């Protein structure tokens, strides 16, 4: 069969993911499906970078969908079905809203696909697709094949790899507790090493939701991959800075940058969100310990919890400036359809927008408790504006710091990406 595996467009011009404007984020999950499609003619398209191949005919089209890309996914699915292709939708949105996805697809995959994809292909080839495919057990990580990177865009600056899946936290704003792959599982360090060894890129990003659930595993992984001398980045929890042995191993193995979910600077917001692992009073120390080990830090923060009014914005700005971060990404609390927080707000009559493209964490899609939606959006925008100048003017001091200057000299393309991103303003308010 001729198979198209498609990721709809994610990125928004001048949106919050400004660093990704010059870094293509490889769709690993599609590369894994391609590796499981032996004997078929497979094409992978990332619509953030690639054109939709409307001039070609496909027998089967697999589309991965998130909430904020779901309408784009449905439009693409409808178009390919009109041309005669069978369409399968998977991803987060198929897990949270399966019935909705089935209105636009011949079949959906709920959860992971490693164990059901081969049967789905056989059914598609014989014209016997079932409406729903769902694994009876979580994927064993050592069963995951190496993605077909030859089908990705050529020569990406940063390579993508995955060592673990899932997360043990139950943060109320997160979709992970409500999808079948939430259980944390680990891939053997040997297999991660072999995949990393075969990757051309000297810089890699671990796409794991939480690589550090098992800190002993993370330590063993760092020790295993250290001889490869890759520079790597990852999402990291605040809690690992208590483990100095792990921080030293991360530094020795090439970790140069972490993205940390501080989530909020308000203790009451942490409690409401179920973020039991964070303590506001430790944030400066968390960043300091990463810096002591040569690791740069970007912080993630969410606004819009029910206890917050407009005073949260100057408070957050002051706190973020004092933390010593290299950059900050500011989200607006966004309830994904199919999650309890969405159902709660719907029951309370507080949902405002059903335009799915606004569910990308940059718009107020519900009525906040103590401010207007416009105040919430304007507050986040103004905080971005104030932090823009702050981070831009402190960047030279960071880059020229003896801890990090050698890294930037070894990887001048990363320095170029950083400089481009720091000059790009985030714009969440649209005309």
């Amino acid at each position: 069969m001729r198979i198209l595996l498609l990721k709809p467009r994610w990125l928004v011009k001048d949106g919050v993911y400004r660093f990704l404007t010059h870094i293509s984020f490889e769709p690993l999950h599609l590369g894994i499906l391609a590796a499981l499609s032996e004997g078929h003619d497979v094409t992978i398209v990332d619509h953030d970078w690639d054109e939709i191949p409307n001039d070609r005919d496909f027998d089967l089209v697999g589309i991965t969908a998130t909430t904020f890309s779901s309408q784009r996914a449905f439009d693409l699915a409808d178009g390919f079905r009109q041309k005669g292709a069978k369409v399968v939708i998977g991803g987060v949105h198929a897990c949270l809203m399966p019935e909705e996805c089935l209105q636009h697809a011949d079949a959906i995959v709920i959860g992971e696909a490693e164990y059901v994809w081969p049967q789905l292909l056989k059914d598609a080839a014989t014209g016997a697709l079932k409406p729903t495919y769902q694994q009876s057990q979580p994927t064993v990580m050592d069963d995951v094949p190496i993605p077909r990177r030859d089908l990705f865009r050529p020569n990406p600056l940063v390579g993508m790899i995955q060592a673990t899946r899932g997360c043990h936290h139950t943060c109320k704003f997160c979709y992970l507790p409500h999808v079948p792959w939430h259980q944390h599982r680990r891939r053997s360090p040997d297999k991660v090493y072999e995949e990393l060894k075969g990757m051309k890129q000297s810089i890699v990003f671990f796409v794991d939701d939480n690589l550090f659930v098992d800190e002993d595993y993370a330590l063993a992984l760092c020790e295993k991959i250290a001889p490869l001398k890759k520079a790597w980045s990852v999402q990291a929890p605040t809690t690992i800075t208590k483990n100095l042995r792990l921080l030293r191993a991360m530094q020795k193995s090439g970790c140069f940058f972490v993205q940390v979910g501080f989530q909020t600077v308000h203790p009451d917001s942490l409690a409401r969100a179920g973020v039991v692992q964070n303590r506001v009073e430790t944030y400066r120390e968390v960043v300091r310990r990463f810096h002591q080990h040569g690791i740069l830090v970007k912080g993630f923060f969410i606004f819009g919890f029910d206890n917050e009014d407009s005073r949260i914005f100057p408070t957050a700005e002051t706190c973020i400036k004092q933390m010593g971060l290299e950059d900050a990404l500011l989200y607006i609390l966004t309830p994904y359809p199919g999650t309890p927080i969405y159902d709660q707000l719907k029951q309370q009559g507080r949902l405002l927008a059903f335009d799915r493209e606004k569910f990308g964490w940059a718009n107020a899609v519900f009525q906040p408790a103590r401010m207007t939606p416009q105040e919430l959006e304007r507050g986040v925008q103004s905080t971005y504006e104030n932090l823009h100048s702050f981070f831009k003017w402190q960047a030279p001091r960071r880059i020229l710091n003896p801890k990090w200057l050698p890294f930037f000299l070894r990887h001048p393309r990363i320095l170029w990406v950083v400089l481009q991103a720091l000059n790009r303003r985030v714009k969440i308010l649209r005309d």
Side-chain angles (χ1 to χ4, degrees):
M1 290 189 298
R2 292 161 298 181
I3 300 173
L4 171 65
L5 300 176
L6 172 61
K7 190 204 85 176
R9 187 174 64 254
W10 278 25
L11 300 183
V12 176
K13 180 177 173 56
D14 298 327
V16 296
Y17 300 106
R18 56 198 175 116
F19 278 90
L20 297 185
T21 303
H22 300 287
I23 297 178
S24 57
F25 204 89
E26 297 173 327
L28 283 186
H29 49 318
L30 300 185
I32 290 169
L33 293 183
L36 294 168
S37 305
E38 188 174 354
H40 299 279
D41 179 11
V42 181
T43 300
I44 292 178
V45 167
D46 180 345
H47 197 202
D48 277 319
W49 308 95
D50 308 317
E51 294 297 324
I52 301 296
N54 290 314
D55 57 337
R56 296 170 57 187
D57 292 326
F58 295 95
D59 302 301
L60 182 70
V61 178
I63 302 176
T64 181
T66 63
T67 295
F68 59 84
S69 68
S70 59
Q71 188 55 58
R72 291 190 284 270
F74 296 157
D75 291 343
L76 291 167
D78 293 344
F80 280 109
R81 293 179 84 189
Q82 289 175 4
K83 295 177 64 176
K86 296 296 183 182
V87 171
V88 180
I89 295 179
V92 174
H93 201 64
C95 297
L96 299 177
M97 302 290 285
E99 295 302 321
E100 180 180 278
C101 291
L102 273 172
Q103 296 176 25
H104 302 272
D106 300 281
I108 61 171
V109 176
I110 297 177
E112 297 167 299
E114 280 81 6
Y115 299 153
V116 297
W117 187 253
Q119 183 61 51
L120 186 152
L121 293 182
K122 291 179 182 178
D123 293 347
T126 59
L129 271 177
K130 302 179 182 65
T132 301
Y133 292 82
Q134 183 171 6
Q135 296 183 175
S136 60
Q137 65 186 80
T139 298
V140 175
M141 288 302 291
D142 282 356
D143 291 344
V144 179
I146 293 176
R148 285 282 307 272
R149 290 188 171 85
D150 59 302
L151 299 179
F152 294 157
R153 299 179 74 247
N155 303 316
L157 174 59
V158 179
M160 308 294 167
I161 191 168
Q162 186 177 51
T164 68
R165 285 183 189 167
C167 179
H168 69 306
H169 293 307
T170 55
C171 304
K172 294 179 182 178
F173 54 80
C174 185
Y175 66 82
L176 272 175
H178 312 291
V179 295
W181 64 84
H182 67 90
Q183 177 184 333
H184 193 262
R185 286 149 291 142
R186 300 163 296 281
R187 195 170 168 212
S188 70
D190 288 342
K191 284 190 174 288
V192 179
Y193 173 90
E194 289 302 323
E195 183 173 343
L196 269 176
K197 185 179 179 181
M199 293 173 62
K200 298 178 181 179
Q201 296 86 4
S202 59
I203 303 172
V204 297
F205 176 65
F206 282 86
V207 301
D208 305 45
D209 294 302
N210 190 345
L211 178 63
F212 304 96
V213 170
D214 182 340
E215 292 186 4
D216 289 338
Y217 167 82
L219 178 63
L221 179 64
C222 289
E223 292 173 344
K224 181 66 180 181
I225 67 175
L228 295 175
K229 299 187 182 304
K230 300 280 190 181
W232 59 277
S233 173
V234 69
Q235 294 184 105
T238 59
T239 50
I240 65 170
T241 54
K242 300 175 183 177
N243 190 335
L244 297 183
R245 184 183 176 196
L246 176 56
L247 290 180
R248 287 193 292 269
M250 291 170 65
Q251 180 181 24
K252 185 176 180 180
S253 63
C255 182
F256 71 96
F257 177 59
V258 292
Q259 302 173 34
V260 179
F262 295 100
Q263 312 305 5
T264 175
V265 302
H266 199 305
D268 288 347
S269 297
L270 288 174
R272 287 175 180 268
V275 185
V276 299
Q277 66 273 19
N278 287 359
R279 295 289 182 274
V280 175
E281 63 271 18
T282 69
Y283 285 178
R284 292 180 69 178
E285 179 64 13
V286 166
V287 177
R288 188 183 70 84
R289 289 197 176 187
F290 278 124
H291 283 173
Q292 283 180 328
H293 293 83
I295 300 172
L296 301 164
V297 186
K298 179 174 185 173
F300 289 7
F301 300 88
I302 300 173
F303 297 85
F305 294 103
D306 277 357
N307 58 291
E308 296 175 355
D309 57 28
S310 59
R311 290 175 293 181
I312 188 64
F313 303 113
T315 300
E317 180 185 331
T318 299
C319 183
I320 291 169
K321 288 179 176 179
Q322 292 173 346
M323 286 170 63
L325 296 166
E326 276 63 56
D327 193 28
L329 194 154
L330 313 180
Y331 287 127
I332 292 176
L333 179 65
T334 301
Y336 272 29
T339 63
I341 191 171
Y342 181 93
D343 294 338
Q344 174 190 335
L345 291 169
K346 182 177 181 180
Q347 185 177 13
Q348 295 172 348
R350 295 170 59 190
L351 291 176
L352 299 176
F354 292 91
D355 180 350
R356 289 291 170 73
E357 293 192 9
K358 294 187 180 297
F359 279 76
W361 297 85
N363 297 103
V365 298
F366 70 100
Q367 173 63 57
R370 302 190 180 187
M371 55 182 137
T372 67
Q374 293 77 18
E375 285 176 320
L376 176 54
E377 290 188 347
R378 286 197 298 266
V380 172
Q381 181 71 69
S382 65
T383 306
Y384 260 126
E385 288 294 325
N386 295 339
L387 290 175
H388 172 83
S389 299
F390 174 77
F391 287 127
K392 180 177 180 180
W393 293 113
Q394 77 165 2
R397 182 162 53 90
R398 292 281 195 265
I399 293 169
L400 297 175
N401 188 305
K403 286 183 181 179
W404 297 300
L405 181 59
F407 169 81
F408 287 115
L409 292 177
R410 287 195 305 272
H411 303 285
R413 289 180 66 194
I414 286 291
L415 175 59
W416 180 81
V417 167
V418 169
L419 295 177
Q420 290 291 317
L422 288 171
N423 280 303
R424 182 181 294 274
R425 278 184 160 83
V426 173
K427 183 181 180 183
I428 66 169
L429 297 178
R430 302 294 162 185
D431 298 330

